[in-house]
Amino acid sequence: MQNTKQKKSNFRASAVPLVTVDPYFSIWSFSDTLYGDATRHWTGRENRMNAGIIIDNTYYSLMGTFHSSKRQVFSGLEVIEQKSINIRPLITTYEFENELVRVKLEFITPLLLREIDILSRPLSYIEYTVEIKDKNVHDVRFYFDISPECCVTDWTQEVELKSSEFGIFCGNTEQKVLGRTGDNICIDWGYLHLIHKDARFIQRGIDLYKCRFVMSEADTKKTYNAFNEAVVMAVVTEEMSGVIAIAYDDIKSIEYFGTHLDDFYKESDGSFNNMVKKAVSQYREIKKKCVLFSEELSEEASKVSTEYEKIISLIYRQVIAAHKLVHDTDGNILFISKECFSNGCAATLDVSYPSMPMLLKYNPELVKGMLLPIIKVARSGNWDKEFAPHDAGCYPCLNGQAYEKESDAQMPVEECGNILIMTAVLCNTLGNNDFAEENEDLLKKWAEYLIENGYDPGDQLCTDDFAGKWPHNCNLSIKSIIAIGAYGKLFDDRRFTDIAKKYAELWVKDTYAEKGTLLAFDRKDTWSIKYNIIWDKLLNLGLFPKEVYKKEVEAYKAKMCRYGVPLDCRSDYAKTDWQAWTTVMTEDSEYTEMVYRKIYDYINETVDRAPVSDWYSAERGRQYVFQNRSVLGALFINIM
């Protein structure tokens, strides 16, 4: 028991959130210690921040690593030993200590879902506290820097250096706003700001002969290569405590059907400069809100299990920072997701579907903000399909579906089911049917499509077909049945309700297996997890008997591997989000604790250092491609 408790208290995240604002402004530590590696963008590319203490002209590292002129890592600098790390939902705290000083660094990004004026600000805080331990007199300075490589993506791009009324900033010399789309890329327009009274541009490096850190003033009249010339935005201060803010002005945030949209914060704060002034002046008040929210969420999550609380605290910022919040030209809130390490699609429906539990809990209007781009595509003159779109574009440009254009390569049943279920859940949470009634024509068309094509999906692609497309998918059939029933309940239409009940009765018979239920109607020696069924229970549709839920959970227990329950019989693929949904099928707390213990072990032990993946090997704990995806909002199903 003692070893178990020690393991729980020493949770080692696969990556630690530091600055998590949106898909472009997202900096993490991929190392056990903050000084063990360069800080990185969620993609894994270096977005370097460094911090340290200069004591009597000797530099002691707290964060990051330095490079020589050939970008070789230099590891000869002394460090102040990292003593602890504490990851809370909105705050990451590191503590360091040696014989001379104690240091605390806190990274705070105020992603308060109930206060979207604050959440939308592209600004993050770093608070530092230095305590001198001995009684001798020392020359002590705190050091922080951030690299201009955070605002370019190409190794040949040059940056210019400028000053502002509240600090300094830098940006690409060639500004092509919203000029790139895709997945594994970083932003190269807009400006990175460092906000502090002692902020300045420096060129830093390593004196290899004397094995020490050196720095000099940078020439602000020149332009620099952000990757090959060691120019940084830095704070060097004698103050032993303080707050540094870093912010990103992306100029325009989203292209939406030909129109460039501003970041959401400009609605309330007016301009980037006004936003910075307010954010800096409100820091203490905002930090209190972040501390209170983190405490409340952690306390609630702890009631599920200790492991669950650790996981939720880690993923909270990841989920939100995979989105961008904007207004459309009609004043509607849009909450735009990016498919991270998948294909770069924006507002993807089968990404929004799993992520919605977090938003339903804290701000259901944001679920509506995820659905509106899909509705926009469906009502555009360029969409002539009888089923729902998959996405609204390729991030950050939403000008119509970017996914496969051929019907046999899309996911018609999947996406129709997703939007019908999401609409029903949204309206149920809000306590009104306004959104559904506004879009009744589309919803009815998609419900009719499911009546015709959904019970036995045939040769249709499923969101979970990682091992290849298998027709006649039984879990996809469940989604269709529930979506038809949800539509019937939304509009009090007995025809749809009766069809859903009839299909559910057939499904129980057609998918029968001795243990669990079939993966596909025509594959008798198969099985899969049926996570879609939870919405029958949570929407109180009453389509499936309780015996189905109980039998499923018992089957999953039998299939449990070292790091969780595989998705189906085809492989050891496990999905973090879908496993979470199976924990609310029944009131089996033992199963729930087991699932989250396995997911915890995966995050804690995987050798793949990256923001938490939702697709990994249940046997080996190795990541399969995906990382930093918003679908982990699914895990909030237990406290929704």
Side-chain angles (χ1 to χ4, degrees):
M1 181 63 72
Q2 185 175 0
N3 290 337
T4 302
K5 287 184 177 179
Q6 183 177 9
K7 182 179 182 181
K8 289 178 181 177
S9 65
N10 294 331
F11 181 47
R12 186 232 63 180
S14 54
V16 180
L18 303 176
V19 176
T20 48
V21 174
D22 60 39
Y24 288 135
F25 194 25
S26 182
I27 305 175
W28 298 66
S29 170
F30 284 30
S31 176
D32 289 352
T33 58
L34 192 55
Y35 45 71
D37 185 25
T39 57
R40 299 177 181 272
H41 186 256
W42 67 261
T43 57
R45 204 193 76 172
E46 290 181 2
N47 270 192
R48 288 175 294 156
M49 298 189 298
N50 289 279
I53 306 294
I54 303 170
I55 305 176
D56 299 330
N57 292 320
T58 298
Y59 181 89
Y60 296 83
S61 181
L62 302 168
M63 172 170 64
T65 58
F66 290 125
H67 298 87
S68 68
S69 59
K70 296 181 179 179
R71 288 189 66 84
Q72 296 175 322
V73 175
F74 178 78
S75 57
L77 296 176
E78 294 193 53
V79 301
I80 300 177
E81 184 182 356
Q82 180 178 305
K83 294 295 186 178
S84 67
I85 175 175
N86 183 17
I87 303 170
R88 290 172 284 171
L90 289 174
I91 305 171
T92 298
T93 303
Y94 286 91
E95 294 185 335
F96 308 83
E97 186 175 357
N98 67 6
E99 67 280 4
L100 297 175
V101 294
R102 294 186 187 91
V103 184
K104 180 165 73 172
L105 293 180
E106 292 185 289
F107 298 85
I108 304 170
T109 307
L111 301 179
L112 297 160
L113 282 168
R114 296 190 182 109
E115 299 188 52
I116 55 178
D117 288 343
I118 294 175
L119 175 146
S120 66
R121 292 173 177 171
L123 181 144
S124 195
Y125 305 98
I126 302 166
E127 183 174 353
Y128 68 93
T129 305
V130 181
E131 178 188 348
I132 309 299
K133 287 175 62 178
D134 71 6
K135 297 180 181 180
N136 297 323
V137 176
H138 298 281
D139 177 16
V140 180
R141 287 171 289 166
F142 176 78
Y143 176 90
F144 170 84
D145 75 40
I146 185 167
S147 170
E149 68 194 12
C150 298
C151 59
V152 292
T153 194
D154 191 297
W155 286 76
T156 64
Q157 291 174 328
E158 298 274 316
V159 294
E160 55 186 347
L161 315 180
K162 298 183 178 183
S163 61
S164 69
E165 58 184 294
F166 40 73
I168 56 177
F169 64 102
C170 63
N172 193 345
T173 55
E174 187 176 7
Q175 290 286 316
K176 294 182 179 180
V177 176
L178 297 170
R180 289 179 183 261
T181 63
D183 189 15
N184 189 13
I185 63 169
C186 295
I187 196 168
D188 65 353
W189 66 88
Y191 297 93
L192 176 69
H193 289 250
L194 177 61
I195 298 116
H196 192 277
K197 66 180 182 62
D198 293 323
R200 54 182 165 141
F201 292 104
I202 67 168
Q203 282 190 281
R204 54 154 174 71
I206 302 296
D207 182 335
L208 296 177
Y209 180 73
K210 296 183 178 179
C211 193
R212 69 177 185 179
F213 167 77
V214 293
M215 59 182 172
S216 60
E217 296 292 329
D219 184 353
T220 57
K221 295 179 181 179
K222 292 175 54 180
T223 62
Y224 292 85
N225 182 283
F227 294 96
N228 294 323
E229 298 179 275
V231 62
V232 294
M233 299 195 296
V235 171
V236 186
T237 178
E238 295 179 352
E239 295 179 350
M240 293 295 95
S241 64
V243 179
I244 297 166
I246 53 176
Y248 205 100
D249 181 5
D250 62 7
I251 314 299
K252 296 290 183 179
S253 297
I254 293 290
E255 181 174 296
Y256 195 60
F257 295 88
T259 300
H260 287 190
L261 302 180
D262 287 323
D263 208 335
F264 184 91
Y265 74 85
K266 290 182 181 177
E267 183 74 17
S268 56
D269 292 339
S271 67
F272 180 83
N273 284 5
N274 286 341
M275 178 277 294
V276 170
K277 292 174 185 177
K278 289 173 68 175
V280 170
S281 66
Q282 295 168 354
Y283 171 68
R284 291 300 167 191
E285 175 188 349
I286 289 172
K287 182 182 180 183
K288 287 179 182 177
K289 291 182 177 182
C290 291
V291 170
L292 180 60
F293 176 83
S294 295
E295 289 174 349
E296 290 175 349
L297 176 52
S298 294
E299 182 179 356
E300 186 175 10
S302 294
K303 294 176 182 176
V304 178
S305 75
T306 301
E307 291 86 355
Y308 180 77
E309 186 275 329
K310 295 289 187 184
I311 297 166
I312 288 295
S313 295
L314 173 61
I315 66 171
Y316 179 88
R317 279 171 279 173
Q318 170 178 323
V319 174
I320 302 170
H323 295 84
K324 192 67 176 180
L325 184 64
V326 294
H327 273 128
D328 69 11
T329 53
D330 296 321
N332 297 307
I333 293 172
L334 303 178
F335 199 49
I336 310 296
S337 64
K338 179 182 188 295
E339 279 208 56
C340 297
F341 268 25
S342 177
N343 59 14
C345 281
T348 302
L349 196 46
D350 57 294
V351 168
S352 298
Y353 174 67
S355 68
M356 67 172 167
M358 174 195 273
L359 306 180
L360 289 168
K361 178 175 178 63
Y362 295 112
N363 193 338
E365 287 293 334
L366 295 178
V367 176
K368 180 180 176 182
M370 293 195 294
L371 294 178
L372 284 174
I374 300 297
I375 298 295
K376 181 86 169 178
V377 173
R379 294 200 183 281
S380 72
N382 296 323
W383 186 257
D384 59 358
K385 312 294 186 186
E386 57 185 331
F387 49 81
H390 167 272
D391 63 80
C394 189
Y395 194 91
C397 296
L398 284 71
N399 295 307
Q401 179 166 298
Y403 196 58
E404 302 286 349
K405 297 299 190 292
E406 298 300 322
S407 294
D408 62 353
Q410 297 194 53
M411 294 182 275
V413 170
E414 187 81 59
E415 306 303 8
C416 287
N418 287 336
I419 198 163
L420 285 163
I421 293 171
M422 289 183 71
T423 299
V425 175
L426 172 62
C427 291
N428 185 66
T429 304
L430 292 175
N432 66 70
N433 280 13
D434 293 351
F435 181 77
E437 290 170 0
E438 290 166 7
N439 299 288
E440 183 177 0
D441 58 328
L442 289 175
L443 298 176
K444 185 173 184 179
K445 180 173 70 171
W446 295 332
E448 294 282 9
Y449 179 88
L450 293 180
I451 289 175
E452 184 68 25
N453 302 280
Y455 177 71
D456 184 347
D459 192 24
Q460 288 219 5
L461 184 66
C462 167
T463 191
D464 296 325
D465 283 336
F466 304 113
K469 184 164 66 170
W470 268 31
H472 316 294
N473 186 291
C474 297
N475 188 46
L476 194 53
S477 177
I478 285 182
K479 179 176 285 184
S480 175
I481 294 166
I482 293 171
I484 294 168
Y487 178 88
K489 187 172 182 178
L490 265 175
F491 294 100
D492 194 23
D493 192 322
R494 286 292 301 274
R495 172 173 170 259
F496 289 88
T497 302
D498 290 345
I499 290 173
K501 289 180 178 177
K502 175 185 174 183
Y503 282 175
E505 290 173 3
L506 285 173
W507 190 94
V508 173
K509 296 176 182 178
D510 291 346
T511 63
Y512 176 82
E514 187 175 343
K515 294 182 179 180
T517 50
L518 300 177
L519 164 61
F521 286 113
D522 61 339
R523 309 268 183 152
K524 297 306 177 184
D525 295 321
T526 61
W527 66 272
S528 68
I529 64 174
K530 303 301 190 300
Y531 57 85
N532 284 316
I533 202 172
I534 67 166
W535 299 110
D536 174 45
K537 178 182 177 182
L538 298 180
L539 286 170
N540 197 29
L541 299 177
L543 298 174
F544 292 91
K546 293 181 180 179
E547 290 75 16
V548 172
Y549 295 88
K550 183 177 180 181
K551 183 180 177 183
E552 285 295 308
V553 169
E554 291 302 317
Y556 306 156
K557 285 182 178 179
K559 301 295 184 181
M560 188 79 70
C561 297
R562 179 178 178 183
Y563 295 111
V565 185
L567 187 60
D568 57 49
C569 59
R570 291 177 287 181
S571 174
D572 74 339
Y573 298 154
K575 285 286 269 114
T576 316
D577 44 357
W578 302 147
Q579 289 180 82
W581 282 14
T582 69
T583 65
V584 298
M585 285 184 176
T586 67
E587 304 303 318
D588 189 337
S589 59
E590 178 185 343
Y591 173 72
T592 298
E593 290 181 10
M594 187 186 307
V595 167
Y596 286 117
R597 190 180 312 121
K598 298 290 187 178
I599 294 173
Y600 173 97
D601 287 344
Y602 157 64
I603 298 170
N604 194 52
E605 297 173 11
T606 183
V607 299
D608 298 312
R609 305 308 294 268
V612 179
S613 178
D614 57 290
W615 180 26
Y616 65 93
S617 165
E619 289 286 2
R620 298 176 292 113
R622 296 301 306 272
Q623 173 182 321
Y624 289 114
V625 185
F626 296 165
Q627 62 192 46
N628 194 57
R629 301 217 308 160
S630 63
V631 301
L632 292 187
L635 276 68
F636 282 74
I637 197 75
N638 299 88
I639 54 176
M640 188 180 70

